[in-house]
Amino acid sequence: MKAPLIDPFQRAVTYLRVSVTDRCDFRCTYCMSEDMTFLPKRDLLTLEELDEVSTAFVNLGVRKLRITGGEPLVRRGIMTYFKAMARHLESGQLDELTLTTNGSQLHRFAADLAAVGVRRVNISLDTLDEQKFSKITRWGRLPQVLQGIDAAQSAGLRVKINAVALKGFNEDELFSIVEWCASRDMDLTFIEVMPMGDLGNEDRLDQYWPLSDLRGELRQRYTLTELPDNTGGPARYVRLEETGQKVGFITPLTHNFCESCNRVRLTCTGELFMCLGQEDRADLRPALRDPTAPALDDAIRAAIRLKPKGHDFDYSRQEVAGQMTRHMSHTGG
């Protein structure tokens, strides 16, 4: 047994989010520009390199892998990587292999994902209105995503919907989204919009809908029971007693969740970000490509020793603090 990954604040790192591509077939307004310039393919880690670095993390005690992007299912040959990671499920070293997706390609991949051991998928969906969906995703088509959800459930995958709470955009859909998820036996998590990307600060403030306000609206219709559930991520959960469904809240602004952070993020180019809301990073590519560089395990341990205590996101003074200029797609959310 190798010694586990422990950061400077005595938090065990057991959760790795792996961005396998910066490309996406949507252009969601809070995630990327409409005219994004994507990385040259030669800059991306190969599928074999993604396998090597992910396996190194598993051998160092990571128990959960979440595959992200961009949109992970647009990466050519991506099932080769999923099949490679399945061996860690079979050995018992890995507890969970899962992904976050926009759902556009799930109708093609749901059955294959289930076959290699994926049991849950998170699907990003902020509105059930087809016109509003087209507006916020710019390039997306809602019927295609709904087809993907159907395919995922037919394949036996547990679906959770992730909805970014956006003032003036989906406030009026709060109860319809909740009731739709309940009718399909899908869990639901709301996420506060984070100050990342190249939109102006004023835009972010205009979009910001505190989840404390959203919870208050839910209480007007439902009985909320706090749950101790923890899926290894930052969400905190309640059960709506009237529907029996689980609803999560990811609140980087109204309630910093950094004290229990157990995760790091690997980009598709081999950069390791120790915090979503800080610029601290380590480049693991030399350990993968340069035989004279430090060994991969040593490079990972050195990076974890740099993990900060938390992020600096803050809207409380009616201005954006802690803003990250990189796009959300760069580190996979």
Side-chain angles (χ1 to χ4, degrees):
M1 287 288 293
K2 297 182 179 181
L5 295 173
I6 306 295
D7 77 4
F9 304 95
Q10 300 305 301
R11 298 171 298 194
V13 175
T14 59
Y15 179 4
L16 176 66
R17 299 176 64 106
V18 182
S19 174
V20 295
T21 180
D22 65 329
R23 286 168 167 74
C24 187
D25 48 354
F26 291 179
R27 296 290 184 274
C28 295
T29 56
Y30 53 78
C31 184
M32 61 176 69
S33 300
E34 186 169 9
D35 56 348
M36 283 289 290
T37 301
F38 293 112
L39 296 166
K41 291 184 179 180
R42 64 178 179 273
D43 289 350
L44 272 60
L45 296 184
T46 66
L47 295 174
E48 292 78 13
E49 288 171 331
L50 285 169
D51 180 352
E52 183 178 352
V53 70
S54 301
T55 296
F57 272 97
V58 171
N59 289 336
L60 290 170
V62 161
R63 305 292 304 181
K64 176 177 178 177
L65 284 179
R66 177 173 295 281
I67 313 309
T68 68
E71 168 49 46
L73 298 181
V74 302
R75 172 84 189 247
R76 181 173 294 181
I78 189 59
M79 284 309 303
T80 301
Y81 171 70
F82 274 101
K83 290 172 183 175
M85 292 302 97
R87 72 184 188 273
H88 301 309
L89 292 172
E90 294 166 1
S91 72
Q93 279 189 284
L94 192 63
D95 293 331
E96 185 172 26
L97 174 63
T98 185
L99 78 153
T100 295
T101 172
N102 64 27
S104 68
Q105 305 301 315
L106 266 179
H107 64 285
R108 299 170 51 211
F109 289 101
D112 291 339
L113 289 167
V116 299
V118 174
R119 296 291 172 258
R120 297 190 305 129
V121 295
N122 289 0
I123 299 174
S124 302
L125 181 62
D126 306 319
T127 176
L128 297 174
D129 182 285
E130 195 166 344
Q131 288 187 326
K132 287 164 66 175
F133 184 86
S134 296
K135 179 179 179 181
I136 199 166
T137 64
R138 295 191 180 107
W139 294 10
R141 294 188 298 111
L142 182 59
Q144 186 175 351
V145 174
L146 298 180
Q147 181 185 6
I149 292 173
D150 290 340
Q153 291 193 310
S154 296
L157 298 174
R158 182 73 187 169
V159 173
K160 183 178 71 142
I161 299 298
N162 285 344
V164 176
L166 296 164
K167 187 196 300 183
F169 179 77
N170 57 10
E171 285 173 293
D172 60 336
E173 293 186 78
L174 172 60
F175 296 117
S176 59
I177 291 174
V178 168
E179 290 160 7
W180 176 71
C181 287
S183 71
R184 299 198 54 150
D185 189 27
M186 298 186 298
D187 294 325
L188 170 64
T189 291
F190 290 104
I191 306 170
E192 287 176 336
V193 66
M194 285 178 263
M196 300 185 70
D198 61 358
L199 291 182
N201 292 354
E202 185 177 347
D203 293 319
R204 284 294 185 250
L205 284 171
D206 288 346
Q207 291 176 321
Y208 177 47
W209 181 15
L211 294 194
S212 54
D213 293 352
L214 185 152
R215 284 176 66 125
E217 292 190 33
L218 287 176
R219 285 195 197 96
Q220 295 178 24
R221 184 173 298 192
Y222 303 108
T223 304
L224 277 59
T225 301
E226 300 287 337
L227 297 175
D229 300 34
N230 188 334
T231 60
R236 298 296 174 263
Y237 295 94
V238 301
R239 182 174 59 249
L240 305 187
E241 295 298 341
E242 288 76 6
T243 65
Q245 77 195 103
K246 187 166 71 172
V247 175
F249 306 91
I250 296 179
T251 55
L253 285 305
T254 58
H255 177 69
N256 183 310
F257 44 69
C258 301
E259 69 279 355
S260 61
C261 183
N262 63 340
R263 59 206 163 275
V264 290
R265 293 166 172 83
L266 180 72
T267 74
C268 56
T269 60
E271 287 183 311
L272 188 69
F273 280 83
M274 284 65 79
C275 175
L276 180 64
Q278 299 284 3
E279 293 291 6
D280 307 67
R281 73 188 79 180
D283 190 357
L284 300 183
R285 281 176 299 185
L288 292 166
R289 297 179 176 178
D290 183 354
T292 66
L296 182 55
D297 283 10
D298 294 337
I300 292 171
R301 290 191 187 280
I304 299 303
R305 288 196 290 270
L306 300 176
K307 186 169 169 61
K309 189 172 184 179
H311 63 68
D312 298 319
F313 294 152
D314 184 13
Y315 294 151
S316 62
R317 299 176 184 84
Q318 292 304 298
E319 62 181 11
V320 177
Q323 184 176 20
M324 296 291 102
T325 55
R326 69 179 185 272
H327 291 281
M328 186 73 79
S329 60
H330 185 81
T331 39

